[in-house]
């Protein structure tokens, strides 16, 4: 199936090309959901756990690559190559690698290859939650987690106003699938400016051979592309690669995080684009920042950078999103904070006393933590002045992160032992 949304078709008029299938945003992620469900059915069993002749025949046409390693790596689902997508070219693959790594000779390491999306058990108190292992891919997993929460809380049944955490809990496996498909398509749709997006499938065929300037990873060479974003979309705002190597693993640069949150791969977290430096001299190239509020926000805290006076100031565009959901980068470890009331950030009176829910993606967290935020009580500051010293050593990093948005707020963990 070829998924395409045309700008001229947004108004509801007839499509010019009957051979194309035009889908609105809902149909787009519905199609992704169906594609995901179909791939699961292909993996073998019927609903009652019995392998049917039909599923067996499908299985014979699909290949699963396995890797004998001492760790658990999800099996890669490889689909037939007769799906009428556009096979990837060497030119496209090289451009993609350079955007990611800065060179076409670099490939993802094992740590990234084994990363995947996995929910906690359905119908549990953390049924909405994705597991996020430590590593460079965690920032992407937790960004997707924020969009999963957006879907479960504010998108599905949006006509129903229910400020209740129970909307996230006890989700079924079907609801988890829908939420993941919706989250991924939401991110893609935002990056495509609500006009077009690209969906890739890994096929059985290899479409080009590696060259001296391109290193094969046995994955990129087998991609089929369905629909297109405008060429150069990423290059408009990216002047350097968006993944960097640190301590043997690739980590996401701010441009990639901003791309997932705002649809614009700007490398900075301040508001707007800076044309001049601190001395008033015009910059050779503008410093790209965030131009508009997005649905999901971003908070940042790092004690080491604070000590060296290098803590970046996140602008109000990211601190105050349209919905009360924040991706948090706390000392280079990612987590999410959220509130169940979509009106929290639209009425300042609601920000006097409210709850935030915290999830860090780790298996050691067995329940969603509820933090009560009091923006009128400043007794924590009084204690800081009395005892002196480094406040971050005596106050959890999560609290310090919250205070980058609500300065001086008192935070009650409601019986949970503070952790991070």
């Amino acid at each position: 199936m070829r998924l395409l949304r045309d700008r001229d078709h947004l108004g509801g008029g007839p499509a010019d090309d009957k051979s194309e299938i035009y889908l609105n945003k809902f149909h787009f992620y519905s199609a992704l959901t169906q594609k995901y469900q179909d791939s699961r059915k292909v993996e073998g069993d019927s609903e009652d756990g019995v392998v049917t002749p039909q599923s067996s025949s499908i299985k014979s046409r699909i290949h699963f690559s396995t890797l004998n390693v001492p760790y658990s790596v999800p099996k890669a689902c490889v689909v037939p190559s007769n799906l009428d997508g556009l096979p990837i070219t060497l030119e496209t693959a090289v451009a993609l690698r350079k955007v990611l790594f800065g060179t076409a000779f670099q490939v993802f390491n094992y740590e990234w290859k084994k990363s995947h999306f996995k929910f906690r058990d359905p119908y549990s108190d953390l049924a909405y939650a994705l597991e996020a292992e430590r590593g460079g891919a965690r920032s992407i997993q937790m960004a997707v987690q924020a969009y999963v929460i957006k879907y479960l809380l504010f998108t599905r049944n949006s006509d129903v106003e229910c400020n209740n955490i129970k909307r996230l809990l006890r989700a079924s496996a079907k609801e988890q699938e829908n939420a993941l498909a919706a989250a991924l398509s939401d991110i893609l749709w935002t990056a495509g400016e609500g006009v077009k997006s690209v969906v890739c499938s890994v096929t059985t065929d290899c479409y080009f051979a590696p060259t001296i300037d391109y290193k094969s990873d046995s994955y990129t060479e087998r991609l089929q592309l369905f629909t297109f974003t405008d060429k150069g979309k990423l290059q408009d705002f990216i002047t350097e690669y968006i993944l960097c190597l640190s301590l043997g693993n690739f980590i996401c640069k701010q441009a990639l995080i901003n791309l997932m949150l705002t649809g614009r791969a700007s490398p900075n977290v301040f508001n707007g684009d800076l044309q001049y430096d601190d001395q008033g001299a015009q910059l050779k190239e503008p410093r790209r920042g965030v131009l508009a509020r997005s649905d999901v926000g971003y908070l940042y805290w790092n004690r080491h950078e604070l000590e060296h006076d290098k803590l970046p100031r996140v602008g109000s565009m990211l601190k105050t999103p349209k919905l009360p959901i924040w991706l948090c980068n706390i000392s280079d470890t990612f987590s999410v904070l959220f509130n169940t009331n979509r009106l929290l950030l639209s009425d300042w009176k609601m920000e006097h006393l409210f709850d935030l829910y915290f999830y860090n993606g780790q298996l050691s967290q067995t329940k969603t933590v509820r933090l009560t935020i009091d923006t009128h009580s400043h007794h924590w500051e009084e204690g800081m002045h009395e005892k002196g010293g480094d406040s971050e050593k005596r106050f959890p990093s999560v609290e310090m992160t919250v205070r980058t948005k609500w300065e001086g707020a008192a935070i009650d963990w409601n019986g949970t032992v503070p952790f991070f």
Side-chain angles (χ1 to χ4, degrees):
M1 176 182 290
R2 187 173 182 182
L3 309 179
L4 178 65
R5 175 157 179 162
D6 186 83
R7 186 184 300 272
D8 296 333
H9 194 60
L10 293 176
D16 294 333
D17 188 350
K18 299 297 183 181
S19 65
E20 304 292 346
I21 300 176
Y22 295 90
L23 301 173
N24 61 24
K25 185 175 179 180
F26 174 78
H27 290 149
F28 181 72
Y29 72 70
S30 294
L32 286 182
T33 304
Q34 186 61 51
K35 191 178 187 70
Y36 174 68
Q37 293 169 349
D38 290 345
S39 70
R40 289 189 56 166
K41 291 178 182 178
V42 165
E43 290 180 12
D45 297 342
S46 63
E47 293 182 358
D48 58 3
V50 179
V51 178
T52 63
Q54 181 180 7
S55 66
S56 297
S57 65
I58 294 176
K59 241 174 135 179
S60 66
R61 301 196 303 270
I62 305 239
H63 306 281
F64 295 94
S65 62
T66 58
L67 186 62
N68 293 323
V69 294
Y71 304 99
S72 175
V73 178
K75 295 181 179 179
C77 180
V78 182
V79 300
S81 56
N82 58 350
L83 299 178
D84 296 328
L86 185 68
I88 193 170
T89 64
L90 176 61
E91 180 184 11
T92 301
V94 168
L96 179 62
R97 286 278 185 83
K98 287 185 176 180
V99 167
L100 291 174
F101 306 109
T103 172
F105 197 72
Q106 183 65 65
V107 298
F108 282 110
N109 59 10
Y110 172 74
E111 192 71 28
W112 272 77
K113 289 180 179 179
K114 74 183 183 70
S115 299
H116 58 286
F117 299 110
K118 181 182 179 181
F119 279 97
R120 298 292 189 95
D121 292 337
Y123 302 108
S124 70
D125 288 341
L126 286 175
Y128 71 91
L130 294 169
E131 295 179 11
E133 299 180 2
R134 297 185 183 277
R138 179 171 176 170
S139 56
I140 292 178
Q141 291 168 318
M142 295 310 290
V144 172
Q145 174 70 82
Y147 279 90
V148 166
I149 293 171
K150 172 193 168 182
Y151 170 78
L152 292 175
L153 273 181
F154 304 118
T155 303
R156 63 168 182 169
N157 301 324
S158 58
D159 57 326
V160 179
E161 289 295 335
C162 179
N163 303 331
N164 196 320
I165 188 64
K166 291 182 179 179
R167 293 201 68 180
L168 287 180
L169 309 181
R170 305 295 177 181
S172 66
K174 176 71 172 180
E175 290 171 321
Q176 290 177 336
E177 293 175 3
N178 289 341
L180 181 58
L184 295 174
S185 62
D186 199 355
I187 293 171
L188 290 173
W189 212 254
T190 301
E193 297 180 332
V195 179
K196 296 180 182 179
S197 291
V198 177
V199 178
C200 301
S201 291
V202 184
T203 69
T204 55
D205 292 343
C206 182
Y207 297 111
F208 63 86
T211 67
I212 190 172
D213 297 319
Y214 176 89
K215 182 178 181 180
S216 173
D217 61 5
S218 72
Y219 171 83
T220 308
E221 306 83 46
R222 294 183 289 129
L223 291 180
Q224 274 195 15
L225 312 180
F226 298 84
T227 27
F228 294 93
T229 55
D230 293 335
K231 290 184 178 180
K233 165 73 179 173
L234 292 177
Q235 296 291 356
D236 288 342
F237 304 118
I238 295 181
T239 57
E240 59 182 16
Y241 50 92
I242 56 179
L243 295 174
C244 62
L245 194 62
S246 176
L247 300 177
N249 195 16
F250 291 104
I251 60 174
C252 297
K253 290 189 173 183
Q254 191 65 46
L256 180 53
I257 295 172
N258 285 353
L259 177 65
M260 297 187 70
L261 297 181
T262 70
R264 186 174 188 260
S266 53
N268 301 292
V269 294
F270 49 71
N271 290 349
D273 294 339
L274 295 184
Q275 305 289 339
Y276 302 90
D277 61 20
D278 295 337
Q279 286 71 41
Q282 186 169 4
L283 300 170
K284 293 182 179 180
E285 295 289 338
R287 295 183 61 197
R288 305 290 187 180
V290 179
L291 298 182
R293 294 171 66 198
S294 53
D295 289 340
V296 174
Y298 180 75
L299 299 177
Y300 184 91
W301 173 261
N302 189 301
R303 176 189 173 191
H304 177 74
E305 293 182 5
L306 179 69
E307 290 176 343
H308 293 81
D309 197 27
K310 294 181 179 180
L311 189 68
R313 292 186 176 274
V314 179
S316 59
M317 296 295 185
L318 286 175
K319 282 187 179 180
T320 309
K322 296 177 182 178
L323 297 172
I325 307 170
W326 293 266
L327 175 68
C328 300
N329 182 348
I330 307 177
S331 299
D332 296 325
T333 302
F334 287 81
S335 55
V336 289
L337 282 166
F338 61 95
N339 180 276
T340 60
N341 184 358
R342 68 164 62 242
L343 302 178
L344 174 67
L345 301 176
S346 62
D347 185 350
W348 61 272
K349 295 178 182 178
M350 293 185 180
E351 295 184 75
H352 288 174
L353 184 67
F354 59 95
D355 288 337
L356 287 179
Y357 296 92
F358 176 72
Y359 176 66
N360 68 359
Q362 297 298 296
L363 285 175
S364 58
Q365 184 173 348
T366 58
K367 66 177 182 178
T368 304
V369 174
R370 180 172 64 91
L371 306 174
T372 298
I373 314 300
D374 183 353
T375 59
H376 278 190
S377 175
H378 293 208
H379 63 266
W380 79 279
E381 291 180 326
E382 296 174 1
M384 178 184 66
H385 293 309
E386 290 176 1
K387 298 179 181 179
D390 187 351
S391 62
E392 206 280 335
K393 291 181 179 179
R394 297 183 294 104
F395 294 98
S397 297
V398 174
E399 295 186 16
M400 302 305 294
T401 304
V402 170
R403 292 184 184 114
T404 64
K405 164 64 177 171
W406 293 279
E407 186 176 359
I411 301 168
D412 185 354
W413 287 70
N414 295 299
T416 300
V417 177
F419 68 92
F420 188 72

